Amino acid sequence: MSYLETTHNVYKEAALTPDVGLCCTTNPIWELPGLKIPRIMQEMNYGCGSTVHARDLTNNPKMLYVGVGGGMELLQFAYFNRNKGGVIGLDVVDEMLEASRKNFIIAEEQNDWFKSDFVDLRKGDAMNLPVEDNSIDVAAQNCLFNIFKSDDLKKAIAEMYRVLKPNGKLVMSDPTCEQPMNDELRNDERLRALCLSGSLTIADYVKALTDAGFGTIEIRARKPYRILDPKNYPTDELIYIESIEVAAIKDPMPEDGPCIFTGKAAIYYGDEDFFDDGKGHTLLKNQPIAICDKTAGDLQALGRDDIYFSESTFHYDGGGCC
């Protein structure tokens, strides 16, 4: 049995019998004004964070969500696009698609604004999306990409890039791990399906996105997720897993490489009202500005004694230098 077959079976079981502990989301389940999320959707929230951010969802964006779970984030996305088929929900597991359909009926009863046909549920896998080129404004996946092995991950990211419009966003939440994992953990198909042993380092995760052509990467959150301990897992050391929330933007790749925002900021405190580096970056006096890692390196290389640089916070919420 391949690891993808194991994953299929795990989520088939989770669709037929909701498993509250399957994934442990690190976010509260927030409800917008007039939005009620059915309890069954909350119980089937098989993610590790949130991909729903209001600032991404203005002007009725066309949306794609891969790996539907119980439909909770699809319902949240539909809140921002109340048009027939405005949100596409895609899954390879028939039972998960059927569970979402049933859950949407409950959501209709609890939300007078919502109609099930706002969401276009389709069967398909992440490596061969049944979606047209350049047709999606915002694509999302939650706790899915970490399951894929390297070659399959490249295909999945390339497919997301293909379907996004120019300047479209791919919004993601996935577990990451900075510690090495042994081969027994990496090759355990069930642990990989449970979003535990397939975790990449943040650097490798970002590289997979930029290798696909995404010109801007925003790391929006980095939070504790799980522990793999020697008593319960085949490891000699305790392994700490985090979850990150990331947005990758399909904008042109800069000649000097991608802009990667990891939550760094610069503060100019010199004698003038502002500092202009001549490369499109203006720092107002005593006003912090978010900067990508590339800009941080360029500014630090100037050797000035009147600019302060913060470390990466791994929290970025816009307003940056690029």
Side-chain angles (χ1 to χ4, degrees), residues 77-113:
F77 279 128
Y79 182 90
F80 295 92
N81 187 331
R82 305 182 185 189
N83 298 305
K84 183 177 180 180
V87 183
I88 299 171
L90 184 72
D91 208 295
V92 73
V93 181
D94 289 322
E95 292 80 5
M96 198 64 80
L97 290 167
E98 182 59 27
S100 288
R101 289 189 184 96
K102 292 178 179 177
N103 292 347
F104 288 148
I105 294 173
I106 299 171
E108 282 187 344
E109 296 170 352
Q110 297 183 13
N111 296 272
D112 57 11
W113 60 268

PDB file of all heavy atoms in Angstrom, residues 77-113:
ATOM      1  N   PHE A  77     -14.961  30.756   3.711  1.00  0.00           N
ATOM      2  CA  PHE A  77     -14.645  31.401   2.436  1.00  0.00           C
ATOM      3  C   PHE A  77     -15.917  31.885   1.739  1.00  0.00           C
ATOM      4  O   PHE A  77     -15.934  32.973   1.152  1.00  0.00           O
ATOM      5  CB  PHE A  77     -13.885  30.441   1.527  1.00  0.00           C
ATOM      6  CG  PHE A  77     -12.414  30.341   1.824  1.00  0.00           C
ATOM      7  CD1 PHE A  77     -11.802  29.117   2.029  1.00  0.00           C
ATOM      8  CD2 PHE A  77     -11.634  31.478   1.890  1.00  0.00           C
ATOM      9  CE1 PHE A  77     -10.450  29.024   2.303  1.00  0.00           C
ATOM     10  CE2 PHE A  77     -10.273  31.414   2.160  1.00  0.00           C
ATOM     11  CZ  PHE A  77      -9.674  30.174   2.372  1.00  0.00           C
ATOM     12  N   ALA A  78     -16.977  31.069   1.776  1.00  0.00           N
ATOM     13  CA  ALA A  78     -18.227  31.438   1.118  1.00  0.00           C
ATOM     14  C   ALA A  78     -18.826  32.702   1.713  1.00  0.00           C
ATOM     15  O   ALA A  78     -19.571  33.430   1.042  1.00  0.00           O
ATOM     16  CB  ALA A  78     -19.231  30.292   1.215  1.00  0.00           C
ATOM     17  N   TYR A  79     -18.503  32.995   2.960  1.00  0.00           N
ATOM     18  CA  TYR A  79     -18.966  34.226   3.608  1.00  0.00           C
ATOM     19  C   TYR A  79     -18.529  35.451   2.802  1.00  0.00           C
ATOM     20  O   TYR A  79     -19.220  36.464   2.773  1.00  0.00           O
ATOM     21  CB  TYR A  79     -18.392  34.275   5.021  1.00  0.00           C
ATOM     22  CG  TYR A  79     -18.807  35.469   5.857  1.00  0.00           C
ATOM     23  CD1 TYR A  79     -19.944  35.423   6.661  1.00  0.00           C
ATOM     24  CD2 TYR A  79     -18.037  36.623   5.876  1.00  0.00           C
ATOM     25  CE1 TYR A  79     -20.310  36.505   7.445  1.00  0.00           C
ATOM     26  CE2 TYR A  79     -18.399  37.714   6.647  1.00  0.00           C
ATOM     27  CZ  TYR A  79     -19.532  37.652   7.436  1.00  0.00           C
ATOM     28  OH  TYR A  79     -19.894  38.733   8.209  1.00  0.00           O
ATOM     29  N   PHE A  80     -17.384  35.320   2.123  1.00  0.00           N
ATOM     30  CA  PHE A  80     -16.816  36.444   1.386  1.00  0.00           C
ATOM     31  C   PHE A  80     -17.161  36.409  -0.097  1.00  0.00           C
ATOM     32  O   PHE A  80     -16.853  37.355  -0.823  1.00  0.00           O
ATOM     33  CB  PHE A  80     -15.295  36.460   1.563  1.00  0.00           C
ATOM     34  CG  PHE A  80     -14.848  36.726   2.968  1.00  0.00           C
ATOM     35  CD1 PHE A  80     -14.609  35.676   3.847  1.00  0.00           C
ATOM     36  CD2 PHE A  80     -14.676  38.016   3.430  1.00  0.00           C
ATOM     37  CE1 PHE A  80     -14.194  35.908   5.145  1.00  0.00           C
ATOM     38  CE2 PHE A  80     -14.274  38.269   4.732  1.00  0.00           C
ATOM     39  CZ  PHE A  80     -14.038  37.205   5.595  1.00  0.00           C
ATOM     40  N   ASN A  81     -17.740  35.321  -0.576  1.00  0.00           N
ATOM     41  CA  ASN A  81     -18.164  35.233  -1.966  1.00  0.00           C
ATOM     42  C   ASN A  81     -19.481  34.470  -2.012  1.00  0.00           C
ATOM     43  O   ASN A  81     -19.504  33.238  -2.085  1.00  0.00           O
ATOM     44  CB  ASN A  81     -17.110  34.529  -2.827  1.00  0.00           C
ATOM     45  CG  ASN A  81     -17.469  34.572  -4.309  1.00  0.00           C
ATOM     46  OD1 ASN A  81     -18.631  34.612  -4.688  1.00  0.00           O
ATOM     47  ND2 ASN A  81     -16.457  34.547  -5.157  1.00  0.00           N
ATOM     48  N   ARG A  82     -20.583  35.191  -1.987  1.00  0.00           N
ATOM     49  CA  ARG A  82     -21.903  34.580  -1.865  1.00  0.00           C
ATOM     50  C   ARG A  82     -22.542  34.394  -3.237  1.00  0.00           C
ATOM     51  O   ARG A  82     -23.694  34.735  -3.466  1.00  0.00           O
ATOM     52  CB  ARG A  82     -22.776  35.423  -0.934  1.00  0.00           C
ATOM     53  CG  ARG A  82     -22.123  35.636   0.422  1.00  0.00           C
ATOM     54  CD  ARG A  82     -22.986  36.437   1.377  1.00  0.00           C
ATOM     55  NE  ARG A  82     -22.278  36.711   2.616  1.00  0.00           N
ATOM     56  CZ  ARG A  82     -22.826  37.240   3.701  1.00  0.00           C
ATOM     57  NH1 ARG A  82     -24.125  37.564   3.692  1.00  0.00           N
ATOM     58  NH2 ARG A  82     -22.112  37.467   4.782  1.00  0.00           N
ATOM     59  N   ASN A  83     -21.743  33.841  -4.156  1.00  0.00           N
ATOM     60  CA  ASN A  83     -22.211  33.585  -5.503  1.00  0.00           C
ATOM     61  C   ASN A  83     -22.171  32.086  -5.787  1.00  0.00           C
ATOM     62  O   ASN A  83     -21.332  31.360  -5.246  1.00  0.00           O
ATOM     63  CB  ASN A  83     -21.328  34.317  -6.521  1.00  0.00           C
ATOM     64  CG  ASN A  83     -21.369  35.819  -6.346  1.00  0.00           C
ATOM     65  OD1 ASN A  83     -22.436  36.417  -6.365  1.00  0.00           O
ATOM     66  ND2 ASN A  83     -20.203  36.432  -6.161  1.00  0.00           N
ATOM     67  N   LYS A  84     -23.036  31.644  -6.648  1.00  0.00           N
ATOM     68  CA  LYS A  84     -23.058  30.243  -7.018  1.00  0.00           C
ATOM     69  C   LYS A  84     -21.698  29.837  -7.591  1.00  0.00           C
ATOM     70  O   LYS A  84     -21.192  30.447  -8.514  1.00  0.00           O
ATOM     71  CB  LYS A  84     -24.153  29.990  -8.053  1.00  0.00           C
ATOM     72  CG  LYS A  84     -24.302  28.535  -8.452  1.00  0.00           C
ATOM     73  CD  LYS A  84     -25.448  28.340  -9.420  1.00  0.00           C
ATOM     74  CE  LYS A  84     -25.604  26.878  -9.812  1.00  0.00           C
ATOM     75  NZ  LYS A  84     -26.729  26.671 -10.751  1.00  0.00           N
ATOM     76  N   GLY A  85     -21.112  28.805  -6.990  1.00  0.00           N
ATOM     77  CA  GLY A  85     -19.822  28.325  -7.449  1.00  0.00           C
ATOM     78  C   GLY A  85     -18.663  29.253  -7.190  1.00  0.00           C
ATOM     79  O   GLY A  85     -17.591  29.078  -7.759  1.00  0.00           O
ATOM     80  N   GLY A  86     -18.843  30.233  -6.302  1.00  0.00           N
ATOM     81  CA  GLY A  86     -17.768  31.184  -6.015  1.00  0.00           C
ATOM     82  C   GLY A  86     -16.577  30.553  -5.330  1.00  0.00           C
ATOM     83  O   GLY A  86     -15.471  31.068  -5.387  1.00  0.00           O
ATOM     84  N   VAL A  87     -16.811  29.427  -4.650  1.00  0.00           N
ATOM     85  CA  VAL A  87     -15.750  28.691  -3.965  1.00  0.00           C
ATOM     86  C   VAL A  87     -15.744  27.263  -4.496  1.00  0.00           C
ATOM     87  O   VAL A  87     -16.786  26.608  -4.527  1.00  0.00           O
ATOM     88  CB  VAL A  87     -15.963  28.678  -2.444  1.00  0.00           C
ATOM     89  CG1 VAL A  87     -14.806  27.964  -1.747  1.00  0.00           C
ATOM     90  CG2 VAL A  87     -16.122  30.091  -1.894  1.00  0.00           C
ATOM     91  N   ILE A  88     -14.582  26.795  -4.913  1.00  0.00           N
ATOM     92  CA  ILE A  88     -14.429  25.402  -5.343  1.00  0.00           C
ATOM     93  C   ILE A  88     -13.800  24.619  -4.202  1.00  0.00           C
ATOM     94  O   ILE A  88     -12.754  25.012  -3.668  1.00  0.00           O
ATOM     95  CB  ILE A  88     -13.539  25.298  -6.594  1.00  0.00           C
ATOM     96  CG1 ILE A  88     -14.164  26.055  -7.768  1.00  0.00           C
ATOM     97  CG2 ILE A  88     -13.308  23.832  -6.975  1.00  0.00           C
ATOM     98  CD1 ILE A  88     -13.239  26.169  -8.983  1.00  0.00           C
ATOM     99  N   GLY A  89     -14.442  23.519  -3.822  1.00  0.00           N
ATOM    100  CA  GLY A  89     -13.890  22.622  -2.814  1.00  0.00           C
ATOM    101  C   GLY A  89     -13.512  21.311  -3.466  1.00  0.00           C
ATOM    102  O   GLY A  89     -14.336  20.663  -4.106  1.00  0.00           O
ATOM    103  N   LEU A  90     -12.256  20.897  -3.296  1.00  0.00           N
ATOM    104  CA  LEU A  90     -11.740  19.733  -4.005  1.00  0.00           C
ATOM    105  C   LEU A  90     -11.216  18.689  -3.026  1.00  0.00           C
ATOM    106  O   LEU A  90     -10.506  19.020  -2.074  1.00  0.00           O
ATOM    107  CB  LEU A  90     -10.608  20.171  -4.930  1.00  0.00           C
ATOM    108  CG  LEU A  90      -9.997  19.108  -5.835  1.00  0.00           C
ATOM    109  CD1 LEU A  90     -10.963  18.743  -6.948  1.00  0.00           C
ATOM    110  CD2 LEU A  90      -8.678  19.607  -6.417  1.00  0.00           C
ATOM    111  N   ASP A  91     -11.577  17.426  -3.255  1.00  0.00           N
ATOM    112  CA  ASP A  91     -11.062  16.347  -2.411  1.00  0.00           C
ATOM    113  C   ASP A  91     -11.030  15.060  -3.220  1.00  0.00           C
ATOM    114  O   ASP A  91     -11.841  14.868  -4.134  1.00  0.00           O
ATOM    115  CB  ASP A  91     -11.928  16.154  -1.166  1.00  0.00           C
ATOM    116  CG  ASP A  91     -11.133  15.601   0.013  1.00  0.00           C
ATOM    117  OD1 ASP A  91     -10.651  14.457  -0.092  1.00  0.00           O
ATOM    118  OD2 ASP A  91     -10.990  16.302   1.024  1.00  0.00           O
ATOM    119  N   VAL A  92     -10.095  14.177  -2.874  1.00  0.00           N
ATOM    120  CA  VAL A  92      -9.980  12.896  -3.554  1.00  0.00           C
ATOM    121  C   VAL A  92     -10.788  11.808  -2.863  1.00  0.00           C
ATOM    122  O   VAL A  92     -10.973  10.723  -3.408  1.00  0.00           O
ATOM    123  CB  VAL A  92      -8.481  12.493  -3.653  1.00  0.00           C
ATOM    124  CG1 VAL A  92      -7.953  12.066  -2.293  1.00  0.00           C
ATOM    125  CG2 VAL A  92      -8.276  11.415  -4.701  1.00  0.00           C
ATOM    126  N   VAL A  93     -11.289  12.100  -1.655  1.00  0.00           N
ATOM    127  CA  VAL A  93     -12.008  11.110  -0.847  1.00  0.00           C
ATOM    128  C   VAL A  93     -13.515  11.331  -1.000  1.00  0.00           C
ATOM    129  O   VAL A  93     -14.045  12.355  -0.560  1.00  0.00           O
ATOM    130  CB  VAL A  93     -11.596  11.206   0.642  1.00  0.00           C
ATOM    131  CG1 VAL A  93     -12.334  10.163   1.477  1.00  0.00           C
ATOM    132  CG2 VAL A  93     -10.083  11.042   0.789  1.00  0.00           C
ATOM    133  N   ASP A  94     -14.203  10.382  -1.609  1.00  0.00           N
ATOM    134  CA  ASP A  94     -15.646  10.510  -1.842  1.00  0.00           C
ATOM    135  C   ASP A  94     -16.407  10.743  -0.543  1.00  0.00           C
ATOM    136  O   ASP A  94     -17.336  11.558  -0.492  1.00  0.00           O
ATOM    137  CB  ASP A  94     -16.189   9.245  -2.513  1.00  0.00           C
ATOM    138  CG  ASP A  94     -15.730   9.099  -3.957  1.00  0.00           C
ATOM    139  OD1 ASP A  94     -15.655  10.131  -4.658  1.00  0.00           O
ATOM    140  OD2 ASP A  94     -15.451   7.964  -4.375  1.00  0.00           O
ATOM    141  N   GLU A  95     -16.032  10.002   0.496  1.00  0.00           N
ATOM    142  CA  GLU A  95     -16.741  10.095   1.771  1.00  0.00           C
ATOM    143  C   GLU A  95     -16.597  11.478   2.404  1.00  0.00           C
ATOM    144  O   GLU A  95     -17.517  11.961   3.072  1.00  0.00           O
ATOM    145  CB  GLU A  95     -16.239   9.010   2.730  1.00  0.00           C
ATOM    146  CG  GLU A  95     -16.609   7.594   2.322  1.00  0.00           C
ATOM    147  CD  GLU A  95     -15.704   7.013   1.235  1.00  0.00           C
ATOM    148  OE1 GLU A  95     -14.704   7.687   0.839  1.00  0.00           O
ATOM    149  OE2 GLU A  95     -15.990   5.895   0.781  1.00  0.00           O
ATOM    150  N   MET A  96     -15.456  12.128   2.198  1.00  0.00           N
ATOM    151  CA  MET A  96     -15.270  13.473   2.740  1.00  0.00           C
ATOM    152  C   MET A  96     -16.115  14.483   1.973  1.00  0.00           C
ATOM    153  O   MET A  96     -16.705  15.403   2.563  1.00  0.00           O
ATOM    154  CB  MET A  96     -13.797  13.862   2.697  1.00  0.00           C
ATOM    155  CG  MET A  96     -13.439  15.030   3.607  1.00  0.00           C
ATOM    156  SD  MET A  96     -13.669  14.669   5.378  1.00  0.00           S
ATOM    157  CE  MET A  96     -12.158  13.736   5.727  1.00  0.00           C
ATOM    158  N   LEU A  97     -16.204  14.315   0.661  1.00  0.00           N
ATOM    159  CA  LEU A  97     -17.065  15.189  -0.135  1.00  0.00           C
ATOM    160  C   LEU A  97     -18.525  15.037   0.287  1.00  0.00           C
ATOM    161  O   LEU A  97     -19.249  16.031   0.423  1.00  0.00           O
ATOM    162  CB  LEU A  97     -16.909  14.873  -1.620  1.00  0.00           C
ATOM    163  CG  LEU A  97     -15.578  15.266  -2.265  1.00  0.00           C
ATOM    164  CD1 LEU A  97     -15.441  14.609  -3.625  1.00  0.00           C
ATOM    165  CD2 LEU A  97     -15.455  16.784  -2.378  1.00  0.00           C
ATOM    166  N   GLU A  98     -18.963  13.802   0.520  1.00  0.00           N
ATOM    167  CA  GLU A  98     -20.345  13.564   0.926  1.00  0.00           C
ATOM    168  C   GLU A  98     -20.613  14.132   2.313  1.00  0.00           C
ATOM    169  O   GLU A  98     -21.676  14.707   2.572  1.00  0.00           O
ATOM    170  CB  GLU A  98     -20.653  12.068   0.901  1.00  0.00           C
ATOM    171  CG  GLU A  98     -22.087  11.711   1.252  1.00  0.00           C
ATOM    172  CD  GLU A  98     -23.100  12.353   0.321  1.00  0.00           C
ATOM    173  OE1 GLU A  98     -22.765  12.636  -0.845  1.00  0.00           O
ATOM    174  OE2 GLU A  98     -24.255  12.563   0.769  1.00  0.00           O
ATOM    175  N   ALA A  99     -19.636  14.005   3.219  1.00  0.00           N
ATOM    176  CA  ALA A  99     -19.794  14.573   4.556  1.00  0.00           C
ATOM    177  C   ALA A  99     -19.941  16.085   4.489  1.00  0.00           C
ATOM    178  O   ALA A  99     -20.772  16.683   5.188  1.00  0.00           O
ATOM    179  CB  ALA A  99     -18.597  14.192   5.432  1.00  0.00           C
ATOM    180  N   SER A 100     -19.163  16.724   3.622  1.00  0.00           N
ATOM    181  CA  SER A 100     -19.263  18.175   3.474  1.00  0.00           C
ATOM    182  C   SER A 100     -20.632  18.572   2.928  1.00  0.00           C
ATOM    183  O   SER A 100     -21.228  19.555   3.386  1.00  0.00           O
ATOM    184  CB  SER A 100     -18.164  18.694   2.543  1.00  0.00           C
ATOM    185  OG  SER A 100     -16.902  18.646   3.176  1.00  0.00           O
ATOM    186  N   ARG A 101     -21.142  17.822   1.955  1.00  0.00           N
ATOM    187  CA  ARG A 101     -22.470  18.120   1.413  1.00  0.00           C
ATOM    188  C   ARG A 101     -23.520  18.087   2.515  1.00  0.00           C
ATOM    189  O   ARG A 101     -24.377  18.976   2.599  1.00  0.00           O
ATOM    190  CB  ARG A 101     -22.829  17.122   0.320  1.00  0.00           C
ATOM    191  CG  ARG A 101     -22.051  17.296  -0.972  1.00  0.00           C
ATOM    192  CD  ARG A 101     -22.607  16.427  -2.085  1.00  0.00           C
ATOM    193  NE  ARG A 101     -21.781  16.553  -3.282  1.00  0.00           N
ATOM    194  CZ  ARG A 101     -20.806  15.714  -3.621  1.00  0.00           C
ATOM    195  NH1 ARG A 101     -20.562  14.664  -2.835  1.00  0.00           N
ATOM    196  NH2 ARG A 101     -20.112  15.908  -4.722  1.00  0.00           N
ATOM    197  N   LYS A 102     -23.465  17.080   3.359  1.00  0.00           N
ATOM    198  CA  LYS A 102     -24.425  16.965   4.465  1.00  0.00           C
ATOM    199  C   LYS A 102     -24.246  18.118   5.455  1.00  0.00           C
ATOM    200  O   LYS A 102     -25.224  18.673   5.968  1.00  0.00           O
ATOM    201  CB  LYS A 102     -24.255  15.623   5.164  1.00  0.00           C
ATOM    202  CG  LYS A 102     -24.660  14.424   4.313  1.00  0.00           C
ATOM    203  CD  LYS A 102     -24.425  13.111   5.063  1.00  0.00           C
ATOM    204  CE  LYS A 102     -24.846  11.915   4.215  1.00  0.00           C
ATOM    205  NZ  LYS A 102     -24.573  10.620   4.894  1.00  0.00           N
ATOM    206  N   ASN A 103     -22.993  18.469   5.719  1.00  0.00           N
ATOM    207  CA  ASN A 103     -22.732  19.550   6.664  1.00  0.00           C
ATOM    208  C   ASN A 103     -23.213  20.900   6.136  1.00  0.00           C
ATOM    209  O   ASN A 103     -23.627  21.774   6.908  1.00  0.00           O
ATOM    210  CB  ASN A 103     -21.234  19.616   6.981  1.00  0.00           C
ATOM    211  CG  ASN A 103     -20.752  18.412   7.773  1.00  0.00           C
ATOM    212  OD1 ASN A 103     -21.560  17.632   8.294  1.00  0.00           O
ATOM    213  ND2 ASN A 103     -19.451  18.234   7.842  1.00  0.00           N
ATOM    214  N   PHE A 104     -23.160  21.083   4.815  1.00  0.00           N
ATOM    215  CA  PHE A 104     -23.642  22.333   4.243  1.00  0.00           C
ATOM    216  C   PHE A 104     -25.160  22.486   4.406  1.00  0.00           C
ATOM    217  O   PHE A 104     -25.659  23.610   4.521  1.00  0.00           O
ATOM    218  CB  PHE A 104     -23.261  22.434   2.764  1.00  0.00           C
ATOM    219  CG  PHE A 104     -21.803  22.672   2.522  1.00  0.00           C
ATOM    220  CD1 PHE A 104     -21.177  22.153   1.398  1.00  0.00           C
ATOM    221  CD2 PHE A 104     -21.041  23.422   3.405  1.00  0.00           C
ATOM    222  CE1 PHE A 104     -19.831  22.366   1.163  1.00  0.00           C
ATOM    223  CE2 PHE A 104     -19.701  23.639   3.195  1.00  0.00           C
ATOM    224  CZ  PHE A 104     -19.092  23.109   2.070  1.00  0.00           C
ATOM    225  N   ILE A 105     -25.872  21.386   4.413  1.00  0.00           N
ATOM    226  CA  ILE A 105     -27.320  21.451   4.658  1.00  0.00           C
ATOM    227  C   ILE A 105     -27.584  21.990   6.064  1.00  0.00           C
ATOM    228  O   ILE A 105     -28.461  22.837   6.273  1.00  0.00           O
ATOM    229  CB  ILE A 105     -27.955  20.066   4.473  1.00  0.00           C
ATOM    230  CG1 ILE A 105     -27.852  19.642   3.001  1.00  0.00           C
ATOM    231  CG2 ILE A 105     -29.411  20.075   4.917  1.00  0.00           C
ATOM    232  CD1 ILE A 105     -28.300  18.223   2.742  1.00  0.00           C
ATOM    233  N   ILE A 106     -26.796  21.516   7.021  1.00  0.00           N
ATOM    234  CA  ILE A 106     -26.922  22.018   8.395  1.00  0.00           C
ATOM    235  C   ILE A 106     -26.538  23.500   8.444  1.00  0.00           C
ATOM    236  O   ILE A 106     -27.191  24.308   9.118  1.00  0.00           O
ATOM    237  CB  ILE A 106     -26.024  21.202   9.346  1.00  0.00           C
ATOM    238  CG1 ILE A 106     -26.441  19.725   9.337  1.00  0.00           C
ATOM    239  CG2 ILE A 106     -26.079  21.766  10.766  1.00  0.00           C
ATOM    240  CD1 ILE A 106     -25.487  18.812  10.072  1.00  0.00           C
ATOM    241  N   ALA A 107     -25.482  23.860   7.701  1.00  0.00           N
ATOM    242  CA  ALA A 107     -25.043  25.262   7.680  1.00  0.00           C
ATOM    243  C   ALA A 107     -26.118  26.166   7.096  1.00  0.00           C
ATOM    244  O   ALA A 107     -26.287  27.313   7.545  1.00  0.00           O
ATOM    245  CB  ALA A 107     -23.748  25.391   6.875  1.00  0.00           C
ATOM    246  N   GLU A 108     -26.852  25.686   6.098  1.00  0.00           N
ATOM    247  CA  GLU A 108     -27.953  26.465   5.530  1.00  0.00           C
ATOM    248  C   GLU A 108     -29.025  26.742   6.576  1.00  0.00           C
ATOM    249  O   GLU A 108     -29.596  27.841   6.614  1.00  0.00           O
ATOM    250  CB  GLU A 108     -28.578  25.726   4.346  1.00  0.00           C
ATOM    251  CG  GLU A 108     -27.786  25.807   3.063  1.00  0.00           C
ATOM    252  CD  GLU A 108     -28.540  25.199   1.895  1.00  0.00           C
ATOM    253  OE1 GLU A 108     -29.509  24.457   2.120  1.00  0.00           O
ATOM    254  OE2 GLU A 108     -28.152  25.479   0.746  1.00  0.00           O
ATOM    255  N   GLU A 109     -29.296  25.764   7.425  1.00  0.00           N
ATOM    256  CA  GLU A 109     -30.311  25.930   8.467  1.00  0.00           C
ATOM    257  C   GLU A 109     -29.892  26.957   9.512  1.00  0.00           C
ATOM    258  O   GLU A 109     -30.734  27.647  10.091  1.00  0.00           O
ATOM    259  CB  GLU A 109     -30.579  24.584   9.140  1.00  0.00           C
ATOM    260  CG  GLU A 109     -31.175  23.526   8.209  1.00  0.00           C
ATOM    261  CD  GLU A 109     -31.210  22.147   8.833  1.00  0.00           C
ATOM    262  OE1 GLU A 109     -30.625  21.988   9.940  1.00  0.00           O
ATOM    263  OE2 GLU A 109     -31.799  21.228   8.232  1.00  0.00           O
ATOM    264  N   GLN A 110     -28.581  27.092   9.740  1.00  0.00           N
ATOM    265  CA  GLN A 110     -28.085  27.978  10.787  1.00  0.00           C
ATOM    266  C   GLN A 110     -27.656  29.347  10.265  1.00  0.00           C
ATOM    267  O   GLN A 110     -27.407  30.265  11.063  1.00  0.00           O
ATOM    268  CB  GLN A 110     -26.907  27.305  11.511  1.00  0.00           C
ATOM    269  CG  GLN A 110     -27.291  26.023  12.235  1.00  0.00           C
ATOM    270  CD  GLN A 110     -26.142  25.410  13.012  1.00  0.00           C
ATOM    271  OE1 GLN A 110     -25.100  26.040  13.224  1.00  0.00           O
ATOM    272  NE2 GLN A 110     -26.325  24.174  13.456  1.00  0.00           N
ATOM    273  N   ASN A 111     -27.542  29.489   8.936  1.00  0.00           N
ATOM    274  CA  ASN A 111     -27.090  30.743   8.332  1.00  0.00           C
ATOM    275  C   ASN A 111     -28.035  31.115   7.196  1.00  0.00           C
ATOM    276  O   ASN A 111     -28.015  30.482   6.136  1.00  0.00           O
ATOM    277  CB  ASN A 111     -25.666  30.592   7.781  1.00  0.00           C
ATOM    278  CG  ASN A 111     -24.626  30.323   8.848  1.00  0.00           C
ATOM    279  OD1 ASN A 111     -24.066  31.245   9.438  1.00  0.00           O
ATOM    280  ND2 ASN A 111     -24.346  29.042   9.090  1.00  0.00           N
ATOM    281  N   ASP A 112     -28.866  32.144   7.407  1.00  0.00           N
ATOM    282  CA  ASP A 112     -29.868  32.461   6.396  1.00  0.00           C
ATOM    283  C   ASP A 112     -29.266  33.028   5.111  1.00  0.00           C
ATOM    284  O   ASP A 112     -29.928  33.079   4.074  1.00  0.00           O
ATOM    285  CB  ASP A 112     -30.918  33.414   6.960  1.00  0.00           C
ATOM    286  CG  ASP A 112     -30.329  34.707   7.511  1.00  0.00           C
ATOM    287  OD1 ASP A 112     -29.121  34.965   7.282  1.00  0.00           O
ATOM    288  OD2 ASP A 112     -31.068  35.453   8.172  1.00  0.00           O
ATOM    289  N   TRP A 113     -28.011  33.455   5.133  1.00  0.00           N
ATOM    290  CA  TRP A 113     -27.345  33.999   3.947  1.00  0.00           C
ATOM    291  C   TRP A 113     -26.723  32.908   3.080  1.00  0.00           C
ATOM    292  O   TRP A 113     -26.409  33.137   1.909  1.00  0.00           O
ATOM    293  CB  TRP A 113     -26.237  34.985   4.351  1.00  0.00           C
ATOM    294  CG  TRP A 113     -25.177  34.343   5.215  1.00  0.00           C
ATOM    295  CD1 TRP A 113     -25.155  34.301   6.579  1.00  0.00           C
ATOM    296  CD2 TRP A 113     -24.021  33.635   4.776  1.00  0.00           C
ATOM    297  NE1 TRP A 113     -24.055  33.606   7.016  1.00  0.00           N
ATOM    298  CE2 TRP A 113     -23.333  33.190   5.935  1.00  0.00           C
ATOM    299  CE3 TRP A 113     -23.476  33.332   3.525  1.00  0.00           C
ATOM    300  CZ2 TRP A 113     -22.146  32.461   5.869  1.00  0.00           C
ATOM    301  CZ3 TRP A 113     -22.300  32.598   3.464  1.00  0.00           C
ATOM    302  CH2 TRP A 113     -21.651  32.175   4.631  1.00  0.00           C
TER     303      TRP A 113
END
